[in-house]
Amino acid sequence: MNIDMIRAAAARLNGHARRTPLLNSPFIDDIAGRRVWIKPECLQHTGSFKYRGAWSALSALDADTRAKGVIAFSSGNHAQGVALAAAQHDVPSVIIMPADAPALKLANTRALGAEVITYDRATEDRDAIGDRLAAERGLTLIKPFDEPQVIAGQGTVGLEIAADAKAQGIKTADVLVCCGGGGLTSGIALALEADAPGLRARPAEPEGFDDVKRSLAVGTIQRNDRTSGNICDAIITPAPGQLTFPIMHRLCGPGLAVSEDEALQAVAQAFLRLKLVAEPGGAVALAAALSRKDEIEGDDVIVVISGGNVDAPIFARALAGLV
Amino acid sequence: MNIDMIRAAAARLNGHARRTPLLNSPFIDDIAGRRVWIKPECLQHTGSFKYRGAWSALSALDADTRAKGVIAFSSGNHAQGVALAAAQHDVPSVIIMPADAPALKLANTRALGAEVITYDRATEDRDAIGDRLAAERGLTLIKPFDEPQVIAGQGTVGLEIAADAKAQGIKTADVLVCCGGGGLTSGIALALEADAPGLRARPAEPEGFDDVKRSLAVGTIQRNDRTSGNICDAIITPAPGQLTFPIMHRLCGPGLAVSEDEALQAVAQAFLRLKLVAEPGGAVALAAALSRKDEIEGDDVIVVISGGNVDAPIFARALAGLV
């Protein structure tokens, strides 16, 4: 896993992934007490950065392997990224989703061209279903984060941040990244190491699900007690990855953790001041910039809004807090 | 008023206005029955395209005139654009607003650096107040649309659309533009005439407030009976401008008009599929693409989302329609 793989992924993504800008607002700066630069990956295809990793992994496969198709386990943003990238490569995709996943996510994933196979969480083993399908059809598994070409794709976010920070004259800053398994955070950290060594990636997580923060603090992989029951569902994973953690441990600054209310307030500020739709899990980095200012150093901070796939009732709940 | 003024405005705006992209979504395409390309000016500074015209007008003044300050009448997006552009030029701005304007808009305009002077709509004459202040202080009036340098600034949206459409291989398409007094529509029309003659600007308005559509149909300026009482408040003006109408009459295709419900449905689709916050008046062009497909020709249509300054309760009402 190295910077050359990220640059190669960037070349493959060129003309396919959206080149997202760095946005700002004087009102956001006032709340945060410093200049805040927002990288809006909610504007990426399928509404999250996951499209980058999916396209990177698909495009890195040799043509014969790819032609047989790909498979992924996901009820969320990774599913949509893989489905769209596979459709654009004109190859089949199979997404294994729980039968009780939200109807809209099932419908969206199908509409993006995937074959969706549902399983019963209580009685069926999704890995066994996936293994059988992969063997029968020769499908390649696209893991959500612990996979080099996926990390390389997410790392292209870091290359863009490095270039845009340089253009703005930002030499030193924390870069806060919404963090689940660490694919995005580790990819960005590698890109910054090469192209903007004065910028430092730091993972942001929900309180109570801060496995990466705790892992970085003690130097070994720590797990979450639970993997559900938080509004930031998109970025909740059991533990950092075997590939992603060593990278984060070597390169990242301390983690930050925010409450559900703070995440919802950040969703509301993104609506009010940036005209962006962020999902709660995609807003934890912005929440950290707004609510944890004493834990951040410097005149500038850069935050990634990692996704915007939020259900309308939850978004309405965030807006209600504005009144 | 000519293309050279728009190109000069683009040069002055370079590095100040945001260069917004063209976005799309396969889900939006499905509803519209053709490819839909969205120009998200809600992502512009202050949440609307108005910043472009304001910066263009401010930057075109000679330095001595500008140093005395500027004045504008507006309770909405033009106010915020002028306030920010003046602050960035380090010159004073005075915005005349009705005393019963929403508290948030008053607060925002002040926070952006303007001196806000309120008047009583029932008992005071805002023009008299403005004339007196302008004379006393030597302030220059920045009109919201019927002013060449304002039209030139808004026209830079059209230059960007022309360049991005060419990059996408789009040779012919209707370009639907949310239209109030016609500053944005006429500016875009002039830019397209020069740089993309196969693209045709068409104004989109709320039903019952379609003065521009009716004016284009008969060839002379028609007025609206009312100028309030519609959720698309941002784009409701009494009549097209003396400068903007002749340009639109020469260059634009027929107007389109949509209902309040259709505007709210477009707000909801922008939330769901594009992760953008659009205000109802800023979404009428998208609404026309989604709801008036029989009135549009070609495989591609380009729509401008002109602003995103919507109050949370109205946005929540749009989202409620999704369930």
Side-chain angles (χ1 to χ4, degrees):
Chain A
M1 192 64 240
N2 57 52
I3 185 66
D4 294 335
M5 291 172 67
I6 299 176
R7 296 201 203 285
R12 296 197 305 278
L13 283 160
N14 187 27
H16 301 287
R18 289 192 181 126
R19 174 50 161 104
T20 52
L22 274 189
L23 305 176
N24 58 2
S25 158
F27 296 99
I28 299 272
D29 294 353
D30 274 353
I31 301 173
R34 52 173 59 85
R35 289 196 300 178
V36 182
W37 303 88
I38 290 102
K39 178 76 170 169
E41 279 294 303
C42 49
L43 299 179
Q44 191 52 260
H45 295 297
T46 70
S48 92
F49 73 96
K50 290 284 190 181
Y51 173 81
R52 294 181 188 251
W55 180 280
S56 171
L58 263 289
S59 61
L61 295 174
D62 73 82
D64 287 347
T65 303
R66 185 169 57 230
K68 292 176 187 158
V70 295
I71 185 168
F73 302 95
S74 168
S75 60
N77 290 334
H78 180 58
Q80 294 186 58
V82 170
L84 181 60
Q88 291 173 332
H89 277 92
D90 210 16
V91 303
S93 65
V94 175
I95 312 289
I96 313 281
M97 301 177 78
D100 60 352
L104 184 67
K105 289 188 175 172
L106 291 163
N108 283 355
T109 308
R110 286 195 183 99
L112 289 168
E115 177 185 355
V116 172
I117 296 186
T118 59
Y119 68 97
D120 183 323
R121 288 193 217 231
T123 62
E124 292 185 281
D125 177 353
R126 72 171 202 179
D127 291 324
I129 298 170
D131 287 348
R132 180 173 52 76
L133 279 168
E136 282 174 11
R137 304 196 198 173
L139 304 171
T140 300
L141 175 66
I142 309 288
K143 291 195 242 178
F145 54 85
D146 229 19
E147 150 63 39
Q149 293 298 358
V150 169
I151 296 171
Q154 323 304 28
T156 61
V157 175
L159 297 180
E160 294 173 11
I161 288 172
D164 288 357
K166 187 176 178 187
Q168 295 288 351
I170 304 166
K171 292 193 173 64
T172 61
D174 283 351
V175 179
L176 313 187
V177 187
C178 306
C179 188
L184 180 62
T185 309
S186 63
I188 288 176
L190 284 168
L192 297 180
E193 180 190 29
D195 283 9
L199 305 187
R200 177 178 69 158
R202 298 180 61 184
E205 296 170 293
E207 286 175 353
F209 301 85
D210 58 347
D211 52 309
V212 177
K213 180 184 179 190
R214 290 183 287 110
S215 299
L216 290 174
V218 300
T220 56
I221 289 180
Q222 306 295 307
R223 302 182 68 81
N224 288 320
D225 298 332
R226 297 172 298 149
T227 55
S228 64
N230 188 286
I231 203 168
C232 303
D233 59 296
I235 61 164
I236 289 176
T237 46
Q242 299 294 327
L243 290 177
T244 60
F245 178 67
I247 299 167
M248 292 192 283
H249 186 231
R250 181 168 72 81
L251 295 173
C252 287
L256 299 145
V258 300
S259 70
E260 290 184 289
D261 270 357
E262 289 164 341
L264 286 173
Q265 287 167 26
V267 169
Q269 289 300 320
F271 160 84
L272 187 63
R273 300 306 182 187
L274 300 161
K275 312 308 171 190
L276 294 172
V277 176
E279 59 190 273
V284 295
L286 178 59
L290 299 179
S291 309
R292 294 287 178 276
K293 57 182 85 170
D294 293 344
E295 299 179 37
I296 300 168
E297 292 192 9
D299 296 334
D300 295 276
V301 65
I302 298 168
V303 305
V304 179
I305 293 182
S306 55
N309 290 314
V310 53
D311 289 338
I314 290 176
F315 199 78
R317 189 175 138 198
L319 298 196
L322 280 172
V323 181
Chain B
M1 192 62 241
N2 57 52
I3 184 67
D4 294 335
M5 292 173 66
I6 299 177
R7 296 202 202 284
R12 296 197 304 278
L13 283 160
N14 188 27
H16 301 288
R18 289 194 180 124
R19 171 57 159 97
T20 51
L22 274 188
L23 305 177
N24 58 1
S25 157
F27 296 99
I28 300 273
D29 295 352
D30 273 354
I31 300 172
R34 52 175 57 86
R35 288 195 301 178
V36 181
W37 303 88
I38 290 103
K39 178 77 169 168
E41 279 295 302
C42 48
L43 298 179
Q44 190 52 260
H45 295 296
T46 71
S48 91
F49 73 96
K50 290 283 190 180
Y51 173 81
R52 295 182 188 250
W55 180 280
S56 171
L58 263 290
S59 61
L61 295 174
D62 73 83
D64 288 346
T65 304
R66 185 168 60 229
K68 293 177 187 159
V70 296
I71 186 167
F73 302 94
S74 168
S75 60
N77 290 333
H78 180 57
Q80 295 186 58
V82 170
L84 182 60
Q88 291 173 334
H89 277 91
D90 209 16
V91 304
S93 65
V94 175
I95 312 288
I96 313 281
M97 302 177 77
D100 59 351
L104 184 67
K105 288 187 175 171
L106 291 163
N108 283 355
T109 307
R110 286 194 183 100
L112 289 168
E115 177 185 355
V116 172
I117 296 184
T118 58
Y119 69 96
D120 183 323
R121 290 192 215 231
T123 63
E124 294 186 279
D125 176 353
R126 72 171 202 179
D127 290 325
I129 297 171
D131 287 348
R132 180 173 52 78
L133 279 169
E136 283 174 9
R137 305 196 198 173
L139 303 171
T140 300
L141 175 66
I142 310 287
K143 291 195 242 177
F145 54 86
D146 229 18
E147 150 62 41
Q149 293 298 0
V150 170
I151 297 171
Q154 322 305 26
T156 62
V157 175
L159 297 181
E160 295 173 10
I161 288 172
D164 288 356
K166 186 175 178 189
Q168 295 289 351
I170 304 166
K171 292 194 172 63
T172 60
D174 282 351
V175 178
L176 312 187
V177 187
C178 306
C179 187
L184 180 62
T185 308
S186 63
I188 289 176
L190 284 168
L192 297 180
E193 179 190 29
D195 283 10
L199 305 187
R200 177 178 69 156
R202 296 179 63 184
E205 295 170 294
E207 285 175 355
F209 301 84
D210 58 347
D211 51 309
V212 177
K213 180 183 178 189
R214 288 182 288 110
S215 300
L216 290 174
V218 301
T220 57
I221 288 181
Q222 306 295 307
R223 301 183 67 82
N224 288 320
D225 299 331
R226 297 172 297 147
T227 55
S228 63
N230 189 286
I231 203 168
C232 302
D233 60 297
I235 60 165
I236 290 176
T237 47
Q242 299 293 327
L243 290 177
T244 60
F245 178 67
I247 299 167
M248 292 192 284
H249 186 231
R250 181 168 70 81
L251 294 172
C252 287
L256 298 144
V258 301
S259 70
E260 290 185 288
D261 270 356
E262 288 164 342
L264 286 173
Q265 286 167 27
V267 169
Q269 289 300 319
F271 160 85
L272 186 64
R273 300 307 182 187
L274 299 162
K275 312 309 170 188
L276 294 173
V277 175
E279 60 190 273
V284 296
L286 178 59
L290 299 179
S291 308
R292 295 287 179 275
K293 57 182 85 172
D294 293 345
E295 300 179 36
I296 300 168
E297 292 192 9
D299 295 335
D300 294 277
V301 65
I302 297 168
V303 306
V304 179
I305 293 183
S306 56
N309 290 315
V310 53
D311 289 339
I314 291 175
F315 199 78
R317 188 175 139 198
L319 298 196
L322 280 173
V323 181

